[in-house]
């Protein structure tokens, strides 16, 4: 026994094999306790020692697997992750030790190992060795099938005897040979179509028809009869019907191409091709559509099946698929006119497509094949024609008759804009909330990575209020709730303020874990003092400084409550609330905290009519509030220019690409903040052109909005570089900040409109959608200047910051909410820039959205500059077609 353990500890696998081989099952089981104890010992070794213990791990793994007599225990030991090292495993010794076991036992262990997804790839050689000679079926788990495909692809054959040297190298074995010689080929090939994802090795090819690649070799297996052709065809079609990512389905569609299906084989799966054309990803649906087209040309696709297919395909958003389907319908209608009763109602499914050009193509197809005596068919088509755009509905009314009433056309005289309701503000209340509620909120925030500004402000004010009333009772309630915080324990010593969040700072002060010297306002928040930072850092430091100030007052001169606690969830503070709090401070003889009062000024809604009441307080804070509500609180006007530079936002791997010109806004210095506010606020009043890319993440930026909730213009200037990066580079996520920014207070001026215009051209759809939300919020609140927005969009289009196709997507989304007039109002000002550079991608698409808006709301006014020449162009390009459509709609609306 000691000899075996010594062999294991020294990592001598050969000796371990020799010692275990002659042992009986009972003698092997008797060794397990000491082997298990050694395994526990190795787990306690530090990493440096374990790195040197790889031979010991290998020997222990071998000995334990050989000594277990139960298949479940043996499989568990073999698959244990703590007994593995980073090197490739040599299974020869273990396979030799387990080879004498009963075949059923070895098969059981092999199947258990194959069921372990995490280790089946590493254990594949051992599994094959255990199965050898058992006549047991192969495991069919996804992991084993993937491992089998990989091993078959990279398998090696007999040693190459021509290789010079002492040890000949094994040579690769062709995939065709490996599949022919593998006894599990016929059994496992059907499983290739049943795994959740395809085996990665199946896709290791450039041309699927190349010999030695899986598609070509599977087709060869079917040719020679090793695998039935029907098995491959049924499995492939079934796997495509299950769906998945486009990249995962490419192998199966390539295999169908290599199989080169006969017409009978295609016809046998007609229903499957129709289902794929309806619901599969676009590339797969296109292949299915081509297969069905081939069946139609061969006369094997009846009209009723073509109608079924068309009703599904014409509902898809992909224009290419819809256009090809309409062409196929046209061929079918010309081949047999009697099929129109089945095919024309299917064609009408395109009437609801968002692309009006496709609607028009479908309507022309109906007009070409509808006969005068088709009264019943005409009535059915008239119902579907209600989905057409306003202009095409007039054409449909002439054709179908049933739409000839006034309701058939756009009732622009009675048009009413539909805008989403402006977001409702929620009041933020803290008075009257209990200690238990306070403790529950603080404990929850201690475990939250990104608390909202509303949650943080509520917690701060509640802690200040209850600490002023009874700090001892608050501390007794907080201590058990924060037991998992290391700084909350008495034996932890003084807490480090630099590592505490704002609510934790106040909680630590309540518990006595902070010293006043650590919270002195003269002590910088970090080593950089109050120098230049990114704007997010400056905003965060304001919140932190205010929390430190409140914590210091808890330890020295408790405040009754905080002045800057917002009235509303967006961060805005109403003037009457601040006046009430200042009056209560004066009545109680409390001295306002400087940072808290400064934050209150930045949050208060500017109402000059409240200035007299503030001045009547006859206190320094009252006079400062009065001045702030009149002149001092006016946001500084920004300047605007176009820059060729990227302001440091470009990344090194894109440095060789030209950077589009961009609009830059600059904020001048605000002397009142520099002179009268605490030092931590000074960065907010310094000149800035925005903020460079920094490490702050979006949830933090959303919380930072509450520092200046009444100055959307300044915050829009700070956000603009990020939004520009979303439009011109790979930036992402700034749109969410823009959407929330639009809900704040203060003037909605040029900076905010420019930010919205830039967001409408963002690269990613979620940012464009957020910009549309911001646009609709401003429109619902009556703050949107559509002329200004249109001019900004036009300038951004000329500079290349915004691309027409992205703007078209955003405008279409805005119009689809019912805001057709609002969308047209700003598009009208931007179209001259698009028409001047009609070669830009998406110009025709943008004109289509504009025409759709005009057809719905029927506005008057002059034609946009450049529209008449564009409409006069000949041809059927989308640009010319949509320019003519827009020109007609505007001319009709103007009368």
């Amino acid at each position: 026994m000691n000899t075996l353990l010594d062999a294991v500890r020294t990592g001598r696998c050969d000796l371990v094999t020799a010692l275990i081989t002659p042992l009986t099952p009972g003698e092997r089981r008797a060794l397990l306790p000491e082997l298990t104890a050694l395994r526990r010992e190795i787990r306690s070794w530090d990493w440096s020692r374990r790195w040197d213990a790889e031979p010991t791990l290998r020997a222990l793994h071998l000995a334990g697997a050989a000594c277990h007599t139960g298949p479940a225990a043996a499989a568990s030991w073999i698959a244990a992750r703590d007994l593995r090292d980073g090197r490739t495993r040599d299974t020869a010794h273990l396979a030799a030790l387990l080879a004498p076991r009963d075949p059923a036992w070895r098969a059981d262990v092999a199947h258990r190992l194959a069921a372990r997804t995490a280790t089946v790839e590493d254990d594949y050689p051992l599994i094959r060795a255990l199965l050898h000679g058992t006549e047991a079926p192969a495991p069919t788990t996804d992991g084993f099938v993937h491992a089998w495909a990989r091993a078959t692809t990279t398998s090696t054959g007999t040693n190459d005897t021509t290789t010079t040297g002492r040890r000949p190298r094994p040579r690769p074995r062709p995939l065709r040979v490996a599949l022919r010689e593998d006894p599990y080929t016929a059994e496992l090939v059907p499983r290739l179509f049943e795994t959740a994802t395809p085996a990665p090795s199946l896709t290791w090819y450039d041309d699927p028809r190349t010999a030695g690649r899986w598609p070509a070799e599977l087709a060869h297996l079917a040719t020679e009869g090793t695998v039935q052709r029907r098995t491959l065809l049924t499995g492939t079609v079934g796997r495509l019907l299950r769906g998945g990512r486009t990249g995962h389905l490419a192998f199966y569609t390539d295999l169908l191409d290599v199989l080169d299906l006969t017409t009978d084989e295609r016809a046998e799966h007609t229903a499957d091709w129709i289902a794929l054309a309806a619901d599969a990803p676009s590339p797969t649906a296109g292949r299915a559509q081509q297969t069905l087209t081939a069946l139609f040309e061969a006369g094997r696709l009846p009209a009723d099946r073509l109608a079924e297919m068309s009703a599904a395909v014409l509902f898809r958003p992909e224009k290419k698929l819809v256009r090809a389907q309409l062409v196929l319908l046209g061929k079918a209608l010309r081949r047999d006119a009697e099929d129109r009763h089945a095919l024309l109602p299917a064609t009408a499914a395109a009437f609801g497509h968002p692309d009006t050009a496709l609607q028009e193509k479908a309507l022309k197809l109906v007009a070409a094949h509808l006969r005068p005596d088709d009264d019943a068919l005409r009535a059915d088509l008239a119902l579907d024609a209600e989905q057409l755009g306003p202009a095409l509905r007039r054409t449909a009314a002439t054709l179908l008759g049933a739409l000839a009433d006034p309701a058939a056309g756009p009732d622009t005289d009675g048009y009413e804009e539909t805008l989403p309701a402006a977001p409702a503000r929620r009041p933020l209340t803290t008075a009257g909330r209990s200690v238990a509620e306070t403790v529950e909120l603080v404990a929850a925030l201690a475990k939250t990575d990104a608390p909202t500004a509303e949650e943080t402000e509520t917690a701060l004010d509640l802690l200040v209020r209850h600490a002023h009333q009874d700090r001892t009772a608050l501390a007794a309630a907080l201590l058990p709730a924060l037991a998992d915080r290391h700084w909350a324990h008495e034996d932890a010593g003084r807490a480090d303020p630099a590592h505490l969040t704002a609510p934790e700072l106040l909680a630590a002060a309540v518990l006595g874990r902070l010293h006043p010297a650590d919270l002195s306002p003269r002590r910088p928040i970090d080593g950089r003092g109050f120098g230049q930072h990114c704007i997010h850092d400056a905003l965060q430091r304001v919140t932190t400084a205010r929390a430190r100030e409140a914590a210091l007052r808890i330890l020295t001169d408790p405040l009754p409550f905080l002045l800057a606690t917002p009235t509303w969830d967006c961060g805005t503070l109403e003037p009457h609330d601040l006046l009430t709090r200042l009056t209560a401070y004066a009545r109680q003889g409390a001295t306002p905290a400087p940072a808290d009062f400064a934050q209150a000024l930045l949050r208060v809604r500017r109402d000059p009519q409240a200035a007299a009441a503030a001045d009547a307080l006859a206190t320094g804070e009252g006079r400062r509030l009065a001045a702030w509500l009149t002149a001092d609180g006016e946001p500084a006007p920004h300047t605007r220019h176009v820059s060729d530079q990227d302001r440091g936002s470009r990344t090194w791997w894109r440095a060789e690409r030209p950077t589009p010109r961009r609009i830059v806004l600059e904020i001048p210095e605000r002397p009142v903040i520099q002179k009268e506010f605490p030092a931590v606020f000074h960065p907010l009043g310094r000149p800035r052109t925005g903020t460079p890319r920094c490490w702050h993440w979006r949830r933090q930026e959303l919380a930072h909005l509450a520092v200046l909730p009444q100055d959307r213009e300044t915050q829009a200037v700070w956000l603009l570089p990020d939004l520009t990066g979303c439009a011109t580079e790979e930036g992402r996520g700034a749109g969410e900040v823009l959407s929330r920014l639009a809900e704040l207070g203060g003037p909605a001026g040029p900076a905010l409109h420019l930010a919205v215009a830039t967001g409408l051209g963002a690269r990613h759809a979620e940012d464009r959608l957020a910009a549309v939300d911001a646009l609709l919020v401003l429109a619902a609140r009556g703050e949107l200047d559509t002329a200004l927005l249109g001019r900004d969009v036009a300038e951004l289009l000329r500079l290349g910051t915004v691309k027409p196709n992205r703007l078209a997507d955003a405008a279409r989304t805005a119009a689809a909410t019912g805001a057709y007039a609002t969308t047209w109002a700003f598009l009208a000002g931007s179209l001259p820039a698009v028409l001047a550079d009609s070669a830009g991608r998406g110009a025709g698409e943008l004109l289509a959205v504009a025409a759709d808006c005009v057809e719905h709301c029927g506005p008057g006014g002059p034609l946009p500059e450049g529209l008449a020449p564009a409409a006069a162009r000949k041809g059927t390009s989308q640009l010319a077609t949509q320019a003519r459509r827009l020109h007609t709609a505007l001319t009709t609306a103007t009368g």
Side-chain angles (χ1 to χ4, degrees):
M1 185 180 301
N2 292 334
T3 304
L4 177 63
L5 287 178
D6 290 342
V8 170
R9 287 185 178 274
T10 56
R12 300 180 60 185
C13 292
D14 292 336
L15 182 56
V16 168
T17 302
L19 292 173
I20 293 180
T21 299
L23 298 180
T24 65
E27 291 173 333
R28 295 186 183 192
R29 285 194 298 269
L31 294 172
L32 286 175
E34 295 196 28
L35 294 175
T36 304
L38 178 58
R39 179 180 177 183
R40 286 196 297 269
E41 177 187 336
I42 293 177
R43 286 176 180 172
S44 65
W45 292 356
D46 58 32
W47 284 107
S48 61
R49 188 175 180 187
R50 288 204 64 174
W51 183 261
D52 298 330
E54 289 183 359
T56 304
L57 284 173
R58 288 172 176 253
L60 178 61
H61 183 267
L62 173 64
C67 289
H68 277 94
T69 56
S76 178
W77 185 281
I78 293 171
R81 301 302 295 266
D82 63 312
L83 295 175
R84 297 170 182 257
D85 52 43
R87 300 179 184 178
T88 303
R89 303 189 62 197
D90 182 8
T91 60
H93 291 293
L94 183 55
L97 276 174
L98 300 182
R101 296 288 185 94
D102 181 71
W105 186 94
R106 286 189 283 121
D108 192 353
V109 173
H111 279 261
R112 291 176 185 274
L113 292 176
R116 294 177 177 264
T117 305
T119 56
V120 63
E121 187 82 25
D122 293 338
D123 290 335
Y124 176 78
L126 177 62
I127 296 171
R128 290 300 302 261
L130 291 172
L131 290 172
H132 182 69
T134 63
E135 299 184 359
T140 56
T141 63
D142 285 9
F144 183 82
V145 173
H146 286 193
W148 173 78
R150 182 185 182 91
T152 306
T153 306
T154 59
S155 64
T156 55
T158 59
N159 290 339
D160 187 351
T161 57
T162 63
T163 302
T164 60
R166 293 184 177 180
R167 182 175 298 176
R169 294 175 299 178
R171 60 186 176 189
R173 189 168 47 162
L175 178 60
R176 179 171 299 181
V177 175
L179 289 172
R180 184 185 302 119
E181 295 178 353
D182 195 307
Y184 293 131
T185 294
E187 189 175 351
L188 291 180
V189 163
R191 279 289 298 146
L192 293 174
F193 309 103
E194 299 174 8
T195 58
T197 59
S201 55
L202 297 180
T203 62
W204 294 352
Y205 59 83
D206 294 325
D207 183 357
R209 297 182 181 274
T210 302
R213 302 296 182 261
W214 274 97
E217 296 308 328
L218 288 175
H220 180 76
L221 289 177
T223 301
E224 67 180 13
T226 304
V227 177
Q228 291 186 1
R229 181 180 174 89
R230 177 179 292 274
T231 298
L232 296 181
L233 176 56
T234 304
T236 302
V237 174
R239 182 60 185 83
L240 290 173
L241 288 171
R242 284 170 52 195
R245 294 169 51 188
T246 301
H248 288 169
L249 300 181
F251 165 76
Y252 305 104
T253 54
D254 288 341
L255 179 57
L256 288 177
D257 289 342
V258 174
L259 288 173
D260 194 15
L261 305 184
T262 65
T263 301
D264 289 338
E265 288 174 330
R266 291 190 178 100
E268 183 182 354
H269 291 276
T270 298
D272 297 327
W273 308 131
I274 293 175
L276 290 173
D279 298 321
S282 186
T284 306
R287 297 281 190 97
Q289 187 183 48
Q290 293 171 7
T291 301
L292 290 165
T293 300
L295 285 175
F296 165 77
E297 293 173 350
R300 301 292 296 272
L301 188 65
D304 58 336
R305 304 311 298 270
L306 177 57
E308 179 186 355
M309 168 198 178
S310 300
V313 174
L314 295 178
F315 189 74
R316 296 183 66 111
E318 297 94 335
K319 299 177 185 178
K320 181 178 179 180
L321 295 179
V322 174
R323 193 177 297 112
Q325 192 65 28
L326 290 174
V327 170
L328 179 59
L329 283 168
K331 292 179 181 180
L333 288 167
R334 287 191 297 271
R335 188 173 68 178
D336 189 346
E338 294 303 318
D339 288 340
R340 68 185 184 280
H341 296 282
L343 298 183
L344 287 183
T347 304
F351 290 171
H353 197 277
D355 189 331
T356 55
L358 294 175
Q359 292 182 16
E360 183 178 9
K361 187 176 181 66
L363 186 59
K364 288 180 178 179
L365 197 59
V366 170
H369 296 279
L370 190 65
R371 295 185 178 181
D373 56 344
D374 291 334
D375 296 333
L377 183 57
R378 182 175 284 104
D380 292 339
L381 293 173
L383 295 175
D384 292 323
E386 296 290 344
Q387 304 175 76
L388 291 168
L392 290 177
R393 288 175 66 189
R394 289 192 290 271
T395 304
T398 303
L399 172 66
L400 303 175
L403 299 179
D405 59 281
D411 185 11
T412 56
D413 294 336
Y415 172 77
E416 183 177 351
E417 186 83 341
T418 303
L419 292 172
R425 297 184 300 179
R426 300 190 309 273
L428 191 153
T429 57
T430 56
R433 298 180 68 170
S434 66
V435 172
E437 292 177 281
T438 303
V439 171
E440 182 181 0
L441 177 59
V442 173
L445 294 183
K447 297 178 176 64
T448 302
D449 293 332
T452 64
E454 179 183 3
E455 292 170 336
T456 298
E457 290 295 334
T458 301
L460 294 181
D461 191 58
L462 287 174
L463 285 168
V464 168
R465 287 176 181 271
H466 290 294
H468 180 266
Q469 295 170 8
D470 190 345
R471 175 182 164 185
T472 303
L474 178 60
L478 277 174
L479 189 57
L482 298 175
D484 59 336
R485 305 286 100 179
H486 68 89
W487 50 265
H489 300 280
E490 293 184 9
D491 55 358
R494 286 161 56 175
D496 184 0
H499 297 101
L500 300 180
T501 64
E504 287 177 337
L505 277 168
L506 271 66
V510 171
L511 295 173
R513 304 295 183 263
L514 294 173
H515 191 275
D518 298 331
L519 303 171
S520 172
R522 292 186 297 273
R523 185 168 183 173
I525 294 176
D526 55 42
R528 295 174 293 175
F530 298 122
Q532 292 290 339
H533 315 90
C534 76
I535 193 60
H536 306 120
D537 195 12
L539 293 168
Q540 180 60 50
R541 288 159 60 83
V542 166
T543 301
T544 303
R546 180 164 161 259
R548 288 193 176 196
E549 179 185 70
L552 178 61
R553 292 294 294 268
I554 287 176
L555 297 173
T556 57
D557 183 16
L559 295 168
F561 46 80
L562 293 176
L563 295 174
T565 303
T567 304
W568 304 103
D569 62 318
C570 61
T572 297
L573 174 59
E574 290 295 333
H576 66 84
D577 285 337
L578 181 54
L579 287 171
T580 301
R581 294 170 188 173
L582 286 174
T583 302
Y585 263 52
R587 184 171 60 250
Q588 298 179 34
T591 303
D596 186 37
F597 180 66
Q599 175 66 93
L601 292 180
L602 293 178
R603 283 179 173 164
V604 71
R605 182 175 58 83
R606 293 190 66 256
D607 183 5
Q609 296 181 356
D615 193 56
L617 292 176
T619 62
E621 287 76 17
R623 288 187 289 272
R624 285 185 60 192
L625 175 58
W628 184 265
L629 292 174
T630 52
D632 290 351
E634 286 282 356
H638 60 266
T639 58
R640 171 174 174 154
H641 66 273
V642 175
S643 172
D644 293 316
Q645 298 181 356
D646 199 3
R647 297 291 179 183
S649 63
R650 293 169 69 189
T651 47
W652 65 268
W653 61 85
R654 297 174 62 88
E656 72 281 357
R657 296 179 57 178
T659 304
R661 302 177 71 199
R662 57 187 61 204
I663 300 174
V664 175
L665 303 182
E666 296 184 359
I667 301 176
E669 185 177 38
R670 296 187 68 178
V672 65
I673 293 181
Q674 296 288 333
K675 295 178 181 178
E676 300 182 13
F677 279 54
V680 72
F681 289 83
H682 292 177
L684 305 185
R686 291 177 184 148
R688 286 185 182 270
T689 59
T691 178
R693 301 293 170 85
C694 56
W695 59 268
H696 293 85
W697 42 301
R698 298 300 173 201
R699 289 191 177 182
Q700 288 178 303
E701 294 180 30
L702 293 174
H704 294 160
L705 294 177
V707 177
L708 277 84
Q710 286 295 302
D711 195 351
R712 288 182 290 186
E713 284 291 279
T714 297
Q715 299 213 54
V717 172
W718 293 338
L719 182 62
L720 185 60
D722 248 3
L723 287 169
T724 305
C726 288
T728 61
E729 299 179 21
E730 299 292 341
R732 196 172 200 148
E736 183 181 5
V737 184
L738 176 63
S739 176
R740 293 286 294 274
L741 183 61
E743 300 177 13
L744 302 185
L752 183 57
H753 281 73
L754 178 61
V756 172
T758 306
L760 292 174
R763 177 184 296 269
H764 298 288
E766 63 267 24
D767 287 315
R768 294 195 297 270
L769 181 60
V772 170
D773 287 342
L775 182 151
L776 295 176
V777 166
L778 295 177
R781 293 167 59 167
E783 298 173 334
L784 182 65
D785 186 337
T786 53
L788 174 60
L789 182 62
R791 291 193 297 271
D792 284 338
V793 170
E795 185 174 5
L796 292 170
L797 287 167
R798 295 188 188 98
L799 294 174
T801 304
V802 168
K803 293 179 172 54
N805 59 321
R806 297 175 185 169
L807 177 63
D809 178 72
R812 185 184 302 110
T813 303
T817 66
Y820 291 102
T822 300
T823 305
W824 164 249
F826 81 83
L827 283 182
S830 64
L831 289 183
V834 178
L835 294 169
D837 183 19
S838 56
R841 179 185 174 189
E845 191 176 352
L846 189 60
L847 288 174
V849 177
D852 194 39
C853 292
V854 172
E855 289 171 354
H856 277 85
C857 65
L863 299 179
E865 182 181 352
L867 179 60
R873 292 181 182 179
K874 297 181 179 180
T876 58
S877 67
Q878 187 183 30
L879 178 66
T881 301
Q882 297 302 332
R884 288 192 291 269
R885 177 188 168 205
L886 177 59
H887 187 277
T888 301
L890 284 171
T891 304
T892 303
T894 305

